[in-house]
Amino acid sequence: MEAGAASGHVAEFLRELARLGELRTWEAGATVVREGDEADCMYLVHEGELKVVVAGEGGRLVELSTLRAGEYFGELMFSGERRSATVQTITRARLTRVTREGVQRLLAQRPDLSFDLIQALGARVRELTRTVRNMASTDVYGRLVGLFDALAVAEGERRVVPGPLSQQRIAERVGASKAMVNRLLQDLERGGYIEVSRERITLLRKLPPRW
């Protein structure tokens, strides 16, 4: 997965990169880069929310991660290969595009930053490995429970998954069909475990380990 958050010297590196790039605003629903395209630049996220997706079985999209302000993507351009994933805006977003030449020029001026960037790339690979392992070892229901646990926040005595979070988006994040997600949500709601509305999913009681 070619996306991630910045820390330490990498954050300093990104601040320097922002001065070299071109700032642009993207509307919600736009495709910034597409899987298989030539990788000739990277992007810094200043505002908004984006999703990183790949084409799964039957062309179904699987979401690998979500990007927010302070994060970046496209750094696999260093390998000279094509894009490994598609990145789409979820909300209106402001991004800085930096060419491969600009990045290489900065690294030549600041070789001390190269090691930190390599470490960040290694962390990215480990994160992707965990995501793929979870997809392979857990069924759809288990991945759905994991997603709710990761997104839920406390609200009074209950936990809620903030929205809006469409069934299509949930399906992409757990690597399943929209029809499967729809059935699971309906079953859980009928069982009194959740309450689904346009703006949130309320977890009424602890979800069962299996369904």
Side-chain angles (χ1 to χ4, degrees):
M1 175 177 56
E2 50 172 339
S7 61
H9 286 167
V10 177
E12 179 186 352
F13 173 64
L14 296 180
R15 285 194 296 272
E16 294 296 325
L17 277 184
R19 299 190 179 99
L20 303 175
E22 173 190 2
L23 182 65
R24 176 180 167 184
T25 298
W26 299 75
E27 298 301 325
T31 297
V32 181
V33 301
R34 194 177 300 277
E35 184 177 358
D37 284 354
E38 181 183 0
D40 58 358
C41 63
M42 64 183 291
Y43 292 84
L44 318 178
V45 184
H46 303 292
E47 294 178 9
E49 188 175 348
L50 304 92
K51 60 181 179 180
V52 182
V53 299
V54 295
E57 185 178 350
R60 183 166 58 236
L61 292 181
V62 177
E63 184 172 330
L64 299 179
S65 65
T66 304
L67 300 171
R68 298 179 179 84
E71 299 184 282
Y72 59 95
F73 62 93
E75 72 279 3
L76 287 188
M77 65 177 182
F78 293 123
S79 68
E81 299 179 1
R82 295 189 173 273
R83 300 289 186 193
S84 62
T86 295
V87 180
Q88 300 172 329
T89 56
I90 300 170
T91 65
R92 196 167 188 260
R94 291 175 66 245
L95 312 174
T96 291
R97 176 183 181 273
V98 188
T99 65
R100 180 191 290 120
E101 291 74 19
V103 178
Q104 290 173 336
R105 188 163 59 249
L106 178 59
L107 288 176
Q109 296 169 355
R110 293 289 308 276
D112 57 303
L113 297 177
S114 299
F115 179 71
D116 296 277
L117 191 59
I118 290 171
Q119 285 188 315
L121 289 173
R124 203 80 27 77
V125 172
R126 290 192 294 272
E127 181 184 350
L128 176 59
T129 300
R130 286 193 295 270
T131 299
V132 173
R133 183 183 295 120
N134 181 59
M135 288 283 189
S137 62
T138 311
D139 62 15
V140 174
Y141 174 73
R143 297 197 295 271
L144 181 68
V145 172
L147 177 64
F148 286 173
D149 282 343
L151 298 180
V153 297
E155 190 172 284
E157 296 181 356
R158 287 180 174 171
R159 299 172 71 222
V160 300
V161 178
L165 189 64
S166 68
Q167 290 185 10
Q168 181 60 45
R169 181 86 192 283
I170 294 173
E172 291 175 4
R173 297 197 66 168
V174 300
S177 67
K178 181 179 176 181
M180 171 67 79
V181 169
N182 176 268
R183 182 178 66 79
L184 286 173
L185 291 179
Q186 287 187 351
D187 287 350
L188 288 171
E189 193 164 26
R190 280 195 294 265
Y193 290 98
I194 64 174
E195 183 177 270
V196 180
S197 70
R198 178 179 176 80
E199 297 302 323
R200 67 183 60 196
I201 297 174
T202 303
L203 307 181
L204 301 176
R205 53 195 176 110
K206 184 176 176 60
L207 300 178
R210 294 181 180 80
W211 194 261

